C-alpha cells in the first residue's frame, strides 16, 4: 500500500503537474509570452522529447542504482522545470522549462514498474501498476483549481513545491540498490515487442491532440469560456482515475477488449471537436471518455511492456513508454503544422482516425 501510494503521488506530479498541465495553462501563458500555433507545437514537443531521452536512460539507472535514485531525480526535475516555467520571460525559456519538467515523467514510470516487480507478488502486480498509473488523473484534477484561482506563474511554483514533497516518501518507501538481472536484448527485439512499440507510437500521436491542443481548440474554435474549459479538464482527470480499475476489468472482459474500448474512448472527443463550432453538452461525457481512455490505454501498455520482459520490467516499460512519447513528439509537431495550415477539422479528424486504425492491432 505504501509503495502504491508513493507511486501514485509521483505519477500525479510527473505526469499530471509537470507534463499535462501545460495544455491547460498554454492559453494563459500565450497571453503573457505570445507565440504562434506552430511554435506551440514545438514547445509541447520539448516536453515529449525530454521524456524520450530520460525514459531511454531510466532502465540503465534502475539496473545500476535501483528504483529509488531515478525516482528522486524525477521529483527534482519536476520541481526545477516548473520553477523555470514560473520565471520564464521568452519562448526559449518556456522550452527549457518544459524540457526539464518533461524529464520527470521519463524517470518515474520505469522506476516504479521496477519497484513493483521487486516488492509486490506477481499476482498483484497488474493491480498495483494500474493503480499507480492512474495517478495522472489525480494530478490533472489537482492542477485545475490551482490554475483556475492562481496566476499561472504562481501555480507553477505551487506545483514545484508539491514535487519536492514527493521526495520524502520516495526516499522512505522505494527500494534502493542494484538487483542482478538477466539481459533481455533478444526479448526486446522480438516480434511481439516491436508490435507493441508500433501501437504505443500511434497511440502517442493520437493522444497529443487533446493533451497539447485541446484547451486551445475549445477556446479559439468553439468559443468555450475559460471556467468551462477548466471544468472539462477536471472531468478528464477525474475520469482518468478510472484507469485504476484496468486490472480488475480485464479479468472479466479480457485485456484486448479493454484496449479496444480505450481507443474508442480517446477518439470520441477528437471527432466531436473536429466538427463542432460551438459548445455542446456532449463534450462533457466525451472528455470524460478521453481521460478514462488515455489512462486505461497507458495502463494496458505498461502491463504489456512489463510482461514482455519479465526479468527486466523497467526495460520493457521504458521501451513502450519511449515509443508512446515519441508518438507524442511527432504528433504535437505534425498536428501543429496541420492546424496552422488547414484548420482544426482536418487536424483532429486525421488524429481520431489513428484510433480506428489501431483497432486492427492488439498488444500481444
Amino acid at each position: 500500500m505504501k509503495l502504491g501510494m508513493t507511486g501514485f503521488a509521483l505519477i500525479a506530479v510527473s505526469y499530471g503537474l509537470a507534463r499535462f498541465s501545460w495544455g491547460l495553462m498554454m492559453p494563459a501563458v500565450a497571453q503573457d509570452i505570445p507565440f504562434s500555433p506552430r511554435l506551440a507545437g514545438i514547445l509541447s514537443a520539448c516536453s515529449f522529447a525530454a521524456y524520450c531521452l530520460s525514459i531511454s536512460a531510466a532502465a540503465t539507472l534502475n539496473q545500476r542504482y535501483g528504483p529509488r535514485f531515478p525516482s528522486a531525480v524525477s521529483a527534482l526535475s519536476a520541481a526545477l522545470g516548473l520553477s523555470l516555467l514560473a520565471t520564464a520571460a521568452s519562448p526559449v525559456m518556456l522550452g527549457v522549462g518544459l524540457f526539464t519538467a518533461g524529464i520527470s515523467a521519463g524517470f518515474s514510470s520505469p522506476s516504479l514498474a521496477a519497484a513493483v516487480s521487486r516488492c509486490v507478488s506477481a499476482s498483484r502486480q497488474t493491480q498495483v501498476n494500474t493503480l499507480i498509473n492512474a495517478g495522472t488523473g489525480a494530478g490533472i484534477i489537482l492542477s485545475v483549481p490551482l490554475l483556475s484561482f492562481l496566476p499561472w506563474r504562481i501555480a507553477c511554483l505551487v506545483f514545484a513545491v508539491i514535487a519536492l514533497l514527493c521526495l520524502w516518501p520516495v526516499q522512505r518507501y522505494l527500494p534502493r540498490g542494484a538487483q542482478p538481472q538477466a539481459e533481455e536484448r533478444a526479448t526486446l527485439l522480438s516480434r511481439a515487442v516491436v508490435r507493441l512499440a508500433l501501437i504505443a507510437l500511434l497511440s502517442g500521436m493520437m493522444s497529443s491532440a487533446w493533451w497539447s491542443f485541446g484547451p486551445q481548440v475549445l477556446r479559439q474554435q468553439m468559443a468555450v469560456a475559460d471556467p468551462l474549459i477548466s471544468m472539462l479538464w477536471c472531468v478528464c482527470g477525474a475520469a482518468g482515475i478510472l484507469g485504476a480499475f484496468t486490472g480488475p476489468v480485464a479479468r472479466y472482459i479480457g485485456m484486448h477488449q479493454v484496449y479496444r474500448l480505450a481507443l474508442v474512448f480517446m477518439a470520441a472527443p477528437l471527432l466531436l471537436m473536429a466538427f463542432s463550432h460551438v459548445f455542446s453538452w456532449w463534450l462533457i461525457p466525451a472528455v470524460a471518455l478521453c481521460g478514462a481512455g488515455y489512462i486505461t490505454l497507458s495502463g494496458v501498455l505498461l502491463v504489456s511492456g512489463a510482461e514482455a520482459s519479465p526479468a527486466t520490467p523497467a526495460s520493457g516499460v521504458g521501451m513502450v513508454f519511449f515509443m508512446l512519447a515519441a508518438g507524442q513528439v511527432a504528433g504535437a509537431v505534425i498536428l501543429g503544422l496541420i492546424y496552422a495550415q488547414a484548420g482544426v477539422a482536418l487536424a483532429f479528424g486525421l488524429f481520431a482516425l489513428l484510433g480506428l486504425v489501431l483497432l486492427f492491432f492488439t498488444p500481444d
Side-chain angles (χ1 to χ4, degrees), residues 118-192:
R118 286 175 60 168
C119 302
V120 180
S121 63
S123 62
R124 299 189 63 189
Q125 286 180 13
T126 296
Q127 179 181 352
V128 175
N129 274 323
T130 53
L131 169 64
I132 289 173
N133 191 61
T136 301
I140 293 170
I141 293 174
L142 180 60
S143 70
V144 171
L146 292 175
L147 286 170
S148 298
F149 298 108
L150 295 174
W152 68 270
R153 294 183 186 274
I154 301 299
C156 283
L157 290 176
V158 174
F159 294 165
V161 172
I162 295 172
L164 289 175
L165 292 176
C166 282
L167 282 173
W168 181 80
V170 163
Q171 292 295 320
R172 185 172 177 85
Y173 299 123
L174 265 61
R176 66 177 178 178
Q179 185 180 40
Q181 293 177 327
E183 289 289 337
E184 287 219 343
R185 295 183 184 275
T187 302
L188 293 178
L189 295 177
S190 67
R191 182 176 180 180

Side-chain angles (χ1 to χ4, degrees), residues 312-339:
T312 56
S315 299
V317 173
M319 172 174 282
V320 171
F321 275 60
F322 174 87
M323 296 305 293
L324 185 68
Q328 289 170 330
V329 172
V333 174
I334 293 171
L335 191 140
L337 292 173
I338 299 175
Y339 183 20

